[in-house]
């Protein structure tokens, strides 16, 4: 039955109509999406990563930026004992995946974020341009920031301070000047409330000048 199901899925992909009759918009820059978001098709690649049987319970698209990248969540049962695993995968249109994986590996090896829990890098699947990481407990920080949660802000600042003080050597550096350049560009794009945005940017630049 599993083999028949896999063949039906492959046939449906060839016809351009996934099971269930709902047509997915094709992202020509990310052709590997046909595999990475399909439970039956991604399973063999994950079995090579783990070196043991893997059942993919779900493959969920978390965020898709067409033409650039896609983040997915995989819920798995691994091995004969069927132990649960949750992985996050990010696949790219560009060839930056290997560098991303090396960066994640270097940060994890150096404990660069101190006591903060960070996702453990698992593997990079070259044929799918897919970086895999293990899940960590927690939730999005954005709602807490918007609600003025000082504890979350302090924990984030401590993790970033640990990163900057870790001494880990990475292939690419993103300096304060780089971030300010991005902020200036974004402020220039704002049509409404631009004066407030410029006032905020001026405060950031003044603070940066004293670093």
């Amino acid at each position: 039955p599993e083999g028949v199901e896999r063949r039906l899925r492959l046939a449906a992909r060839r016809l351009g109509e996934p099971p269930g009759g709902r047509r997915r918009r094709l992202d020509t820059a990310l052709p590997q999406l046909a595999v990475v978001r399909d439970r039956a098709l991604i399973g063999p690649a994950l079995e090579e990563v783990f070196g043991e049987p893997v059942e993919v319970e779900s493959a969920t698209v978390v965020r898709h930026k067409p033409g650039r990248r896609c983040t997915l969540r995989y819920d798995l049962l691994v091995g004969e004992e069927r132990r649960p695993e949750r992985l996050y995968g990010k696949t790219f249109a560009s060839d930056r995946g290997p560098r991303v994986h090396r960066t994640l590996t270097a940060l994890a090896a150096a404990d660069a974020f101190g006591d903060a829990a960070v996702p453990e890098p698992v593997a990079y699947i070259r044929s799918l341009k897919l970086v895999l990481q293990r899940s960590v407990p927690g939730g999005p920080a954005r709602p807490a920031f918007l609600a003025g949660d000082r504890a979350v802000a302090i924990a984030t600042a401590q993790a970033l301070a640990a990163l900057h003080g870790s001494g880990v050597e990475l292939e690419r550096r993103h300096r304060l000047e780089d971030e300010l350049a991005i902020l200036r560009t974004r402020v220039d794009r704002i049509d409404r409330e631009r004066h407030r945005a410029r006032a905020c940017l001026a405060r950031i630049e003044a603070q940066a000048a004293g670093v």
Side-chain angles (χ1 to χ4, degrees):
E2 291 82 1
V4 172
E5 181 182 0
R6 181 173 182 274
R7 285 172 174 80
L8 288 173
R9 287 177 179 273
L10 288 171
R13 294 292 181 192
R14 288 292 181 90
L15 293 170
E17 183 71 22
R22 184 174 153 185
R23 194 178 187 87
R24 283 172 172 161
R25 188 171 59 184
L26 182 65
D27 188 341
T28 56
L30 292 164
Q32 66 270 31
L33 286 181
V35 176
V36 298
R37 66 187 179 189
D38 189 295
R39 292 188 304 133
L41 300 181
I42 191 62
L46 295 175
E47 287 184 348
E48 288 189 19
V49 169
F50 284 95
E52 51 188 328
V54 172
E55 179 184 335
V56 183
E57 289 195 300
S58 65
T60 306
V61 173
V62 176
R63 189 179 187 190
H64 180 197
K65 302 195 78 171
R68 298 178 62 186
R69 59 184 177 269
C70 184
T71 303
L72 304 103
R73 182 178 63 246
Y74 297 110
D75 288 302
L76 315 173
L77 297 174
V78 181
E80 299 296 337
E81 67 275 26
R82 295 170 62 80
R83 65 183 183 276
E85 292 263 8
R86 170 170 282 183
L87 301 183
Y88 281 87
K90 184 175 285 189
T91 188
F92 301 90
S94 68
D95 294 322
R96 60 184 295 212
R99 177 171 57 79
V100 171
H101 181 61
R102 289 193 297 270
T103 297
L104 295 172
T105 301
L107 293 173
D111 288 329
F113 291 94
D115 294 331
V118 294
E120 174 192 349
V122 174
Y124 175 67
I125 303 178
R126 186 173 301 276
S127 61
L128 300 174
K129 296 185 176 182
L130 182 66
V131 175
L132 293 170
Q133 295 174 272
R134 281 195 169 83
S135 174
V136 293
R142 185 173 184 272
F145 283 134
L146 294 177
D149 190 324
R150 292 177 59 86
V152 172
I154 291 171
T156 302
Q158 289 173 338
L160 291 173
L163 170 63
H164 288 292
S166 67
V168 63
E169 292 291 334
L170 302 177
E171 298 175 35
R172 181 184 176 190
R173 291 181 176 273
H174 186 80
R175 300 166 301 172
L176 179 59
E177 293 81 2
D178 300 320
E179 188 64 26
L180 287 173
I182 294 172
L183 285 175
R184 293 183 189 111
T185 301
R186 297 291 174 86
V187 168
D188 288 340
R189 292 178 183 172
I190 297 174
D191 294 326
R192 300 169 63 184
E193 303 291 343
R194 181 173 293 184
H195 62 286
R196 292 188 181 183
R198 290 193 182 282
C200 290
L201 178 59
R203 293 184 64 180
I204 293 171
E205 290 176 326
Q207 187 69 28
V211 173

